Amino acid sequence: MDHFLYRDGELYAEDVPLREIAATVGAPFYCYSAATFTRHFQLFDEALDGMEHLVCYAMKANSNQAILKLLGDQGAGMDVVSGGEYRRARAARVPGDRIVFSGVGKTEDEMRVAIESGIRQFNIESEPEMEVLSRVATSMGTEVPVTIRVNPDVDAKTHEKIATGKAENKFGIPISRASEVYALAANLPGLKVIGIDVHIGSQLVDLDPFRLAFRKVADLTEQLRAEGHEITRLDLGGGLGIPYERSNADPPLPRDFGQVVREEVGHLGCEIEIEPGRLIAGNAGVLVSEVIYVKQGEDRQFLILDAAMNDLIRPAMYGAHHDILPVKEPAPGEEPATYDIVGPVCESGDTFAKHRQMPAVGVGDLVAFRSAGAYGAVMASEYNSRPMIPEVLVQGDQFAVIRPRPTFDEMINRDIIPSWL
Ligand code: LLP
């Protein structure tokens, strides 16, 4: 469920017409619903009810500080994967003891800044990383809590670019070597090994791979405990998918995911962490764009929008589907049109949808890409020297620009022409 619905013939974000926001900030722009973010976070929180837990929002999905503040105020923790994300979370006043640090390539500088300013745990992904963290923590005269990310060699049955739990992927240590690696970690100064971490991929629409992975983690917990390790925390990652196409069968809900967690690892008495990103942010955002031209090709009509692949790269990068709706509600019984929906960027990959049936629209009309709240704005670039588009947050009947559109001068003046040219 989300809060982008037609009302009085036009699409609203909560109680604000998207048309009104467009008139204020100009198209294209991202628009987020605070109520949807909050609701999705709460669904996960409730799904783990009865188990000691922390929902650590994977902020890579959408890292605007307004969103982090909104979720942080609800009690969310954060899953960060870079020094930049760590600093952003802290700038949004998320306490350090609610931040977990994931990622395969943490640098010494990133470790140091997180230790200095406060961290809940590091999720370690390799032996070399473990040794560096041990050295950094020891040099700072401290001991840091760590989990070790295991790669369970489970097929997540998702797009190959976002699957992470197979042996061929770069993530985690092979679960078959866990015993050896935990023994090594236990002997390193500056590290306090407290748990196990796993994350098998993103946009999973089937619970079976989760179940398989969590079962392997449960077995490993018992094995490591028998080997003398104190395993008190399990970080089970993120990855629950969302319904990008309204017409498709609905994927499982957070409460179904919670049930799998309970069944597979509930008996171990561990504190549970999860790292959902997409399910919290995805359907909490739309991308609003204006039709610039409708162009007749040889055998098709092109809808040329003012948004492009640099603003929303998911269709170009993963062949991802986003529903695209007119902001003005179509009249009942209106004949749909068929378009190739494209942006102005100079490559054919700048295509949002091919042969897409949708209500007919014309020049100057606004359209909304649904499910654009996750991995939308965060993956945007200035390719073709197109300034990053603004982000707007709606709460009830109020809205605010939470990241303005830079001026052309702001974008251009970052370059420096050396004096010797
Ligand atoms: N935890 C870790 C360690 C991760 O690597 C990820 C996502 C998550 C949690 C959150 O997963 P989620 O709940 O959002 O599925 N850009 C791609 C998605 C990349 C996901 C990367 N890791 C896309 O647009 O589909």
Side-chain angles (χ1 to χ4, degrees):
M1 194 202 120
D2 62 50
H3 290 76
F4 298 97
L5 298 171
Y6 286 116
R7 207 193 277 180
D8 306 326
E10 58 179 326
L11 196 60
Y12 273 63
E14 301 193 17
D15 300 329
V16 184
L18 288 169
R19 173 188 42 82
E20 191 181 316
I21 302 174
T24 313
V25 304
F29 62 93
Y30 279 101
C31 177
Y32 309 127
S33 150
T36 314
F37 266 103
T38 308
R39 180 183 143 77
H40 290 165
F41 165 72
Q42 281 167 354
L43 287 178
F44 274 115
D45 205 29
E46 285 161 20
L48 300 179
D49 226 10
M51 292 180 277
E52 198 189 338
H53 68 271
L54 183 66
V55 178
C56 297
Y57 168 61
M59 62 179 274
K60 61 167 75 66
N62 185 324
S63 56
N64 190 292
Q65 284 180 60
I67 303 302
L68 306 183
K69 173 78 168 54
L70 175 72
L71 293 173
D73 285 354
Q74 299 285 317
M78 297 290 152
D79 169 49
V80 309
V81 292
S82 71
E85 283 196 349
Y86 179 84
R87 285 176 172 86
R88 238 167 221 258
R90 296 291 287 133
R93 302 199 278 285
V94 178
D97 63 8
R98 275 199 252 143
I99 302 179
V100 304
F101 207 137
S102 303
V104 286
K106 301 174 204 78
T107 64
E108 285 193 31
D109 281 351
E110 289 176 323
M111 293 169 179
R112 199 165 289 119
V113 80
I115 295 173
E116 254 162 25
S117 176
I119 189 78
R120 178 178 179 82
Q121 99 222 4
F122 286 94
N123 294 334
I124 292 185
E125 300 225 13
S126 68
E127 286 140 297
E129 182 194 354
M130 191 182 283
E131 280 159 17
V132 170
L133 183 60
S134 165
R135 182 151 40 76
V136 171
T138 315
S139 74
M140 295 171 74
T142 187
E143 190 179 61
V144 291
V146 300
T147 72
I148 297 176
R149 178 168 176 181
V150 294
N151 185 326
D153 197 17
V154 164
D155 183 356
K157 299 186 200 144
T158 184
H159 191 284
E160 60 160 336
K161 285 191 182 151
I162 54 176
T164 54
K166 287 286 287 171
E168 70 211 42
N169 302 129
K170 67 183 175 184
F171 301 97
I173 55 146
I175 198 161
S176 55
R177 294 190 49 235
S179 190
E180 181 190 331
V181 177
Y182 272 81
L184 180 73
N187 285 323
L188 285 175
L191 305 186
K192 183 167 168 50
V193 183
I194 55 163
I196 306 174
D197 172 39
V198 73
H199 170 80
I200 56 173
S202 193
Q203 186 54 18
L204 273 71
V205 290
D206 179 357
L207 291 174
D208 289 346
F210 286 121
R211 188 179 288 284
L212 218 62
F214 299 166
R215 192 164 294 169
K216 288 190 177 193
V217 167
D219 291 346
L220 181 62
T221 305
E222 276 163 358
Q223 183 196 330
L224 292 173
R225 281 177 174 170
E227 288 166 10
H229 301 280
E230 247 185 83
I231 303 296
T232 56
R233 190 179 284 174
L234 301 179
D235 182 335
L236 300 175
L240 195 57
I242 62 171
Y244 279 101
E245 288 185 62
R246 302 288 130 158
S247 43
N248 279 8
D250 284 344
L253 301 172
R255 71 159 178 270
D256 307 320
F257 175 87
Q259 194 51 30
V260 173
V261 172
R262 208 177 303 276
E263 285 165 16
E264 298 302 332
V265 303
H267 59 287
L268 297 166
C270 287
E271 181 181 12
I272 304 297
E273 288 167 353
I274 55 170
E275 304 170 346
R278 190 190 310 266
L279 199 141
I280 292 180
N283 285 329
V286 294
L287 164 60
V288 177
S289 177
E290 191 175 311
V291 178
I292 308 179
Y293 296 115
V294 182
K295 168 172 160 172
Q296 186 61 53
E298 171 78 24
D299 60 350
R300 63 193 72 204
Q301 272 202 309
F302 293 99
L303 202 60
I304 304 178
L305 303 181
D306 64 359
M309 64 189 290
N310 70 299
D311 303 308
L312 178 68
I313 204 172
R314 302 195 68 259
M317 191 154 172
Y318 314 110
H321 174 104
H322 285 262
D323 279 346
I324 302 172
L325 312 177
V327 165
K328 186 163 157 293
E329 188 173 17
E334 209 179 277
E335 274 296 302
T338 303
Y339 302 112
D340 276 19
I341 304 173
V342 302
V345 159
C346 297
E347 54 180 287
S348 301
D350 186 22
T351 297
F352 291 121
K354 283 196 164 156
H355 309 299
R356 176 71 63 90
Q357 273 213 340
M358 65 173 283
V361 287
V363 173
D365 286 349
L366 296 171
V367 297
F369 289 69
R370 299 190 68 108
S371 313
Y375 306 111
V378 285
M379 294 181 79
S381 76
E382 291 174 341
Y383 185 39
N384 276 210
S385 286
R386 295 166 47 87
M388 305 273 267
I389 65 177
E391 294 174 88
V392 172
L393 181 65
V394 174
Q395 185 166 49
D397 61 3
Q398 54 184 345
F399 72 91
V401 173
I402 56 174
R403 180 182 294 168
R405 190 191 309 277
T407 63
F408 283 105
D409 280 348
E410 279 165 345
M411 178 178 72
I412 291 164
N413 292 341
R414 287 203 312 264
D415 300 354
I416 299 169
I417 300 179
S419 60
W420 38 262
L421 271 187

